[in-house]
Amino acid sequence: MWYGTFERGEVQRKVKAAKAPKDNSVGPKTSVKQIDKISETDQKEVTTEEVERILRCLKANYKICKGPVCLFEFVCHPTSFGQTIENLFHTAFLIKDGYVKIFLDDDKLPVIEPVRKVDKDNACSQQLYQKAISLNGQQWKDIMKIYGLKNRPEPMIDTRETARKKAAQKAAEAKKKHAHTQDNAQNHNGAGPSKKKK
């Protein structure tokens, strides 16, 4: 059954006008820069450095808190979900290798603490927790709200960039202090500060 008319006839094809070639003489040509792949060894070294830095942060916070540290307060970055995931990733290595342990405190909340002596048996028992650590964006937002972490001035774990800046600043201060100590020693010994000739 047909509705409407159907007339046979010639099919007219649309002819597209040929495009003029583009004029590329506007500026210098840009070339694709080939980035060398990061070697597997370099990547492992970076991960190892980060894991060691996370362990140092945990030990420092453990001393400040005088005991186990709330897992969420430790790994959660107040403004960056991505940094939080990175912190969890590196913390998982510490758990797997038996350098830290996670357990529930009296309020049934997860806490983390460094282990005095690495215990491979402890590492095996902690693998359950390593597999259970996962976090999505909504859970992160909920944790930030429940624990009031959005308003804290600094995270327990700095970003790599912030950690590098702090280390460089600390090194510069140590160098300045060392130079000042040397000047004082020269003044004390009667040598006086060295004067430049004009």
Side-chain angles (χ1 to χ4, degrees), residues 35-184:
I35 298 175
D36 296 331
K37 289 185 178 180
I38 298 174
S39 72
E40 193 173 316
T41 307
D42 290 344
Q43 202 168 8
K44 285 181 183 178
E45 286 176 15
V46 170
T47 300
T48 302
E49 287 173 13
E50 282 300 295
V51 170
E52 289 170 354
R53 187 176 68 84
I54 300 287
L55 182 58
R56 285 192 304 273
C57 289
L58 178 60
K59 287 179 178 179
N61 283 290
Y62 183 79
K63 284 181 182 178
I64 292 168
C65 295
K66 297 179 181 167
V69 178
C70 173
L71 176 66
F72 299 127
E73 288 181 24
F74 182 67
V75 298
C76 288
H77 191 280
T79 58
S80 173
F81 173 67
Q83 184 64 47
T84 299
I85 296 303
E86 194 171 314
N87 294 343
L88 274 171
F89 173 74
H90 293 115
T91 301
F93 281 104
L94 293 170
I95 296 165
K96 180 183 76 115
D97 294 338
Y99 289 99
V100 301
K101 68 177 182 176
I102 295 179
F103 57 95
L104 300 177
D105 67 4
D106 295 337
D107 296 325
K108 303 293 183 211
L109 298 173
V111 291
I112 186 170
E113 70 179 6
V115 175
R116 294 186 204 299
K117 184 180 175 186
V118 177
D119 181 6
K120 292 298 177 186
D121 293 333
N122 180 48
C124 293
S125 67
Q126 294 293 312
Q127 286 181 2
L128 169 67
Y129 285 105
Q130 185 190 19
K131 292 176 184 171
I133 294 177
S134 66
L135 193 66
N136 65 34
Q138 187 58 50
Q139 291 169 329
W140 174 73
K141 288 177 184 176
D142 292 344
I143 288 169
M144 300 309 288
K145 185 177 179 181
I146 291 167
Y147 285 86
L149 302 177
K150 275 260 187 232
N151 300 325
R152 79 175 163 191
E154 287 189 30
M156 287 190 175
I157 303 172
D158 287 324
T159 62
R160 269 184 254 168
E161 184 178 326
T162 303
R164 283 187 196 121
K165 286 179 183 176
K166 285 182 178 180
Q169 184 179 17
K170 193 174 181 180
E173 288 172 2
K175 187 176 180 180
K176 188 176 180 180
K177 185 177 179 181
H178 180 69
H180 181 70
T181 304
Q182 284 184 332
D183 284 346
N184 284 342

